């Protein structure tokens, strides 16, 4: 309809050289962004420059997606994406450090100093899009108008276009209204949108948790019945989206939302296992809330560590019976680790380097039990020591039966040479950690001040 209207006004579908206004819908709601409380100064220099350069070359260029949404909410955006009517080859010509990424969905990465801006060309709505047998859209590189592009985005609050040069915000789907009301609403017919791209169901959980928004009823309704479609998504894509969810700073709330929506079961073996036992659930809750706290403190999180934590209850469940049956602990731990990783691999492409990290973190747990002789000092030199050690602290924090061991290692890590000599002479027993001799005049270590890690309630 709108395309027809534009066609009538301009006689044909707009083409790359046309005036930028040809590409934007005449009756989008138009706001002055600053009047909505959006701080234009918070738009990154790189995003601003990208828009300016494209506009100066005669193209339309807008900041879009999470950057705009988060600015309107007064939050600091993670990154900025730019949408334009310039096709990738034109974008490439304008920037010295730019390259095309992706095949199914091509975008241009534009680098300004250390900043990266993802520039995507407005996508057309394709009535005859190439899909797989389940309706999933396979190729998506047909260019369209901004209106098309907006209709193809996932949620109304993710489809706001900011022209940071003109201080203008274009809203095609009442995203501003939903944003003010705290509603997460999918654009178009929810079932159709999930069939086109089942990953959008995971995105519902991520954004509802991250934004603290209510999931609109029509957006929620089809999810439970359609969760199975996620099985046909390539495992690498699923892994990427799951990682976004786990590192969103709201991992715990996202996983709880997935559970509430019935998406945790049968979706990924990884999520199936999470709620399998009470102790496993407590461990994972602790891991996720620690991760969220790290992100809030702007610390890095390692995917290997996170995945090692999510799968640890399953590793334990596979390992303990082997040890009970008399197998040697280390080979049986490695065998349990491999069995758990194998079980994941057909649904979730855990990249090899992460899988290697995970194996090391798990096997270090057993090596921590040797607290005498030269072993502890040698372990300090292990390249993954820090991750393994943090993992041990997490286990103790979650109430696993390793409080004494964890306290011993904390003292060993933080202590000086003579503390370490004392500690090597007093390896931890089961149960309460042994009292340590304190020598006059020496600074108390942090672990002494805090005591052993407390099991979670
Ligand atoms: P974040 O701040 O977490 O990065 P975001 O909204 O920017 O949130 P991205 O995954 O970076 O999320 O995607 C950028 C934008 O691209 C989204 O806001 C949305 O408009 C669009 N988008 C991304 N993935 C999809 C999808 N699967 N279907 C439709 N639109 C999508
Ligand atoms: Mg983003």
């Amino acid at each position: 309809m709108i395309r027809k209207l534009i066609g009538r006004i301009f006689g044909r579908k707009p083409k790359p050289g046309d005036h930028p206004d040809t590409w934007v819908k005449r009756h989008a709601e138009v706001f002055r962004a600053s009047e909505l409380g959006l701080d234009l100064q918070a738009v990154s220099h790189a995003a601003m420059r990208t828009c300016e350069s494209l506009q100066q070359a005669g193209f339309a260029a807008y900041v879009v997606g999470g950057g705009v949404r988060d600015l309107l909410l007064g939050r600091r955006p993670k990154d900025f994406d730019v949408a334009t009517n310039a096709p990738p080859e034109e974008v490439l010509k304008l920037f010295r450090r730019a390259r095309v990424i992706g095949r199914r969905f091509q975008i241009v990465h534009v680098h300004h100093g250390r900043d990266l801006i993802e520039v995507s060309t407005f996508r057309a709505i394709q009535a005859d899009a190439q899909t797989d047998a389940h309706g999933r859209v396979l190729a998506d590189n047909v260019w369209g108008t901004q209106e098309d592009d907006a209709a193809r985005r996932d949620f109304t609050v993710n489809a706001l276009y900011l022209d940071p040069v003109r201080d203008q915000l274009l809203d095609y789907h009442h995203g501003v209204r939903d944003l003010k009301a705290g509603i997460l609403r999918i654009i178009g017919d929810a079932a159709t949108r999930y069939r086109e791209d089942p990953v959008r169901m995971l995105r519902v959980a991520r954004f509802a948790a991250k934004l603290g928004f209510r999931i609109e009823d029509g957006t929620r309704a089809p999810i439970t019945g359609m969760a199975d479609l996620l099985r046909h998504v390539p495992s690498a894509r699923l892994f990427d989206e799951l990682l976004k969810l786990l590192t969103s700073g709201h991992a715990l709330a996202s996983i709880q939302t997935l559970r509430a929506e019935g998406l945790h079961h049968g979706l990924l073996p990884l999520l199936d296992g999470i709620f399998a036992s009470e102790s496993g659930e407590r461990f994972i809750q602790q891991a996720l809330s620690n991760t969220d706290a790290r992100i809030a403190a702007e610390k890095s999180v390692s995917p290997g560590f996170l995945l090692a934590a999510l799968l640890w209850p399953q590793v334990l469940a596979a390992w303990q019976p082997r040890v009970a049956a008399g197998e040697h602990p280390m080979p049986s731990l490695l065998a349990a680790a491999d069995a758990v990783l194998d079980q994941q691999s057909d649904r979730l492409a855990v990249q090899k380097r992460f899988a290697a990290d995970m194996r090391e973190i798990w096997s270090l747990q057993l090596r921590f039990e040797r607290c005498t002789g030269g072993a502890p000092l040698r372990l300090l030199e292990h390249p993954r020591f820090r991750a393994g050690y943090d993992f041990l602290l997490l286990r103790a924090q979650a109430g696993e039966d390793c409080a004494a061991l964890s306290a011993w290692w904390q003292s060993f890590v933080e202590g000086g040479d003579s503390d370490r000599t004392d500690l090597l002479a007093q390896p931890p027993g089961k149960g309460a950690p042994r009292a340590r001799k304190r020598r006059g005049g020496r600074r108390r270590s942090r672990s002494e001040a805090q005591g052993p890690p407390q099991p979670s309630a």
Side-chain angles (χ1 to χ4, degrees):
M1 157 73 188
I2 295 303
R3 201 173 314 154
K4 264 198 209 140
L5 195 69
I6 293 176
R8 216 175 295 138
I9 298 169
F10 296 97
R12 60 179 166 78
K13 195 176 165 231
K15 290 218 162 49
D18 289 346
H19 188 276
D21 285 351
T22 320
W23 293 77
V24 299
K25 184 181 162 190
R26 260 101 243 296
H27 56 271
E29 278 182 275
V30 181
F31 297 90
R32 188 161 293 284
S34 52
E35 283 174 9
L36 291 174
L38 188 149
D39 177 11
L40 286 168
Q41 300 299 318
V43 175
S44 77
H45 183 62
M48 187 62 106
R49 269 182 48 196
T50 306
C51 289
E52 279 168 353
S53 301
L54 282 159
Q55 292 182 4
Q56 280 158 13
F59 296 108
Y62 294 82
V63 177
V64 68
V68 183
R69 178 197 67 219
D70 291 350
L71 283 183
L72 280 171
L73 290 169
R75 300 175 175 215
R76 187 141 66 91
K78 206 173 67 192
D79 46 35
F80 291 94
D81 299 322
V82 166
T84 177
N85 64 334
E89 60 275 15
E90 296 295 327
V91 179
L92 287 181
K93 284 185 203 161
L94 289 173
F95 302 96
R96 211 163 38 86
R97 293 172 59 213
R99 62 192 184 114
V100 176
I101 304 288
R103 284 210 309 194
R104 187 184 85 92
F105 193 96
Q106 273 186 0
I107 52 170
V108 182
H109 275 181
V110 176
H111 294 267
H112 297 272
R114 298 175 68 190
D115 282 346
L116 167 72
I117 301 293
E118 289 192 1
V119 180
S120 61
T121 306
F122 295 154
R123 259 42 183 200
I125 298 173
Q126 304 176 64
D128 49 358
Q130 196 193 344
T131 60
D132 71 5
H134 310 280
R136 198 172 63 83
V137 174
L138 295 176
D140 203 350
N141 294 313
V142 179
W143 317 137
T145 61
Q146 187 181 44
E147 184 208 356
D148 281 353
D149 191 76
R152 301 182 13 128
R153 290 188 178 266
D154 46 9
F155 306 105
T156 60
V157 294
N158 281 353
L160 298 168
Y161 293 77
L162 168 70
D163 181 337
V165 182
R166 288 196 253 183
D167 183 8
Q168 224 179 41
L169 188 111
L170 297 183
D171 179 5
Y172 292 85
H173 297 281
H174 304 298
V176 170
R177 181 195 64 193
D178 285 345
L179 195 113
K180 285 184 179 160
I183 294 174
L184 188 70
R185 185 193 311 270
I186 199 147
I187 296 172
D189 173 61
T192 309
R193 302 305 309 281
Y194 298 145
R195 207 167 297 117
E196 284 168 2
D197 182 8
V199 157
R200 289 176 185 143
M201 293 185 275
L202 285 182
R203 294 174 63 87
V204 168
R206 170 156 73 94
F207 290 118
K210 171 173 168 156
L211 305 173
F213 278 18
R214 180 173 76 76
I215 305 169
E216 179 263 335
D217 293 346
T219 303
R220 159 181 281 130
I223 291 182
T224 316
M226 297 184 81
D228 264 2
L229 289 179
L230 276 157
R231 293 180 184 281
H232 309 296
V233 176
S235 55
R237 170 120 200 274
L238 213 49
F239 181 75
D240 280 353
E241 202 63 41
L242 188 73
L243 216 54
K244 280 192 189 178
L245 185 147
L246 293 173
T247 57
S248 64
H250 303 270
L252 183 57
S254 299
I255 296 285
Q256 281 163 345
T257 306
L258 285 178
R259 183 187 203 179
E261 297 306 319
L263 275 176
H264 67 292
H265 195 78
L267 163 59
L268 299 169
L270 183 90
L271 298 180
D272 272 353
I274 284 183
F275 305 110
S277 73
E278 210 176 294
S279 60
E281 182 170 347
R282 193 166 60 220
F283 179 81
I284 282 161
Q285 282 194 356
Q286 190 68 55
L288 294 179
S289 67
N290 287 6
T291 304
D292 291 344
R294 280 187 74 86
I295 288 173
E298 302 193 358
K299 292 186 191 162
S300 64
V301 295
S302 118
F305 184 91
L306 201 51
L307 293 165
L310 288 177
L311 292 174
W312 177 243
Q314 291 176 56
V315 171
L316 276 184
W319 181 33
Q320 281 159 346
R322 286 171 179 262
V323 176
E327 283 185 40
H328 197 276
M330 188 56 97
S332 64
L333 173 59
L334 296 176
D338 284 340
V340 169
L341 282 170
D342 276 355
Q343 206 191 338
Q344 302 295 318
S345 64
D346 62 323
R347 288 306 305 123
L348 197 70
V350 177
Q351 291 163 25
K352 280 206 174 63
R353 63 196 164 105
F354 297 145
D357 284 355
M358 293 160 75
R359 268 197 205 89
E360 284 198 302
I361 289 170
W362 292 331
S363 63
L364 278 168
Q365 302 313 303
L366 194 53
R367 294 179 63 184
F368 283 126
E369 291 184 9
R370 280 190 61 193
C371 299
T372 51
L377 273 176
R378 279 199 301 278
L379 211 52
L380 286 181
E381 302 302 316
H382 190 286
R384 303 294 300 153
F385 174 82
R386 189 74 214 182
Y389 167 68
D390 284 345
F391 201 85
L392 175 66
L393 299 189
L394 166 66
R395 289 169 54 210
Q397 203 185 1
E400 216 180 285
D401 183 21
C402 58
L405 187 66
S406 152
W408 187 92
W409 272 99
Q410 220 173 340
S411 305
F412 193 76
V413 166
E414 292 168 6
D417 286 348
S418 61
D419 293 316
R420 288 179 177 176
T421 309
D422 288 354
L423 284 159
L424 288 172
Q426 297 184 325
K430 282 258 168 196
R434 294 185 192 177
R436 283 182 46 203
K437 261 197 306 193
R438 276 232 325 279
R439 298 193 180 164
R442 190 172 296 121
R443 204 161 47 88
R444 272 161 57 110
S445 73
R446 199 148 57 85
S447 62
E448 277 179 296
Q450 292 176 341
Q454 294 302 308
S456 60

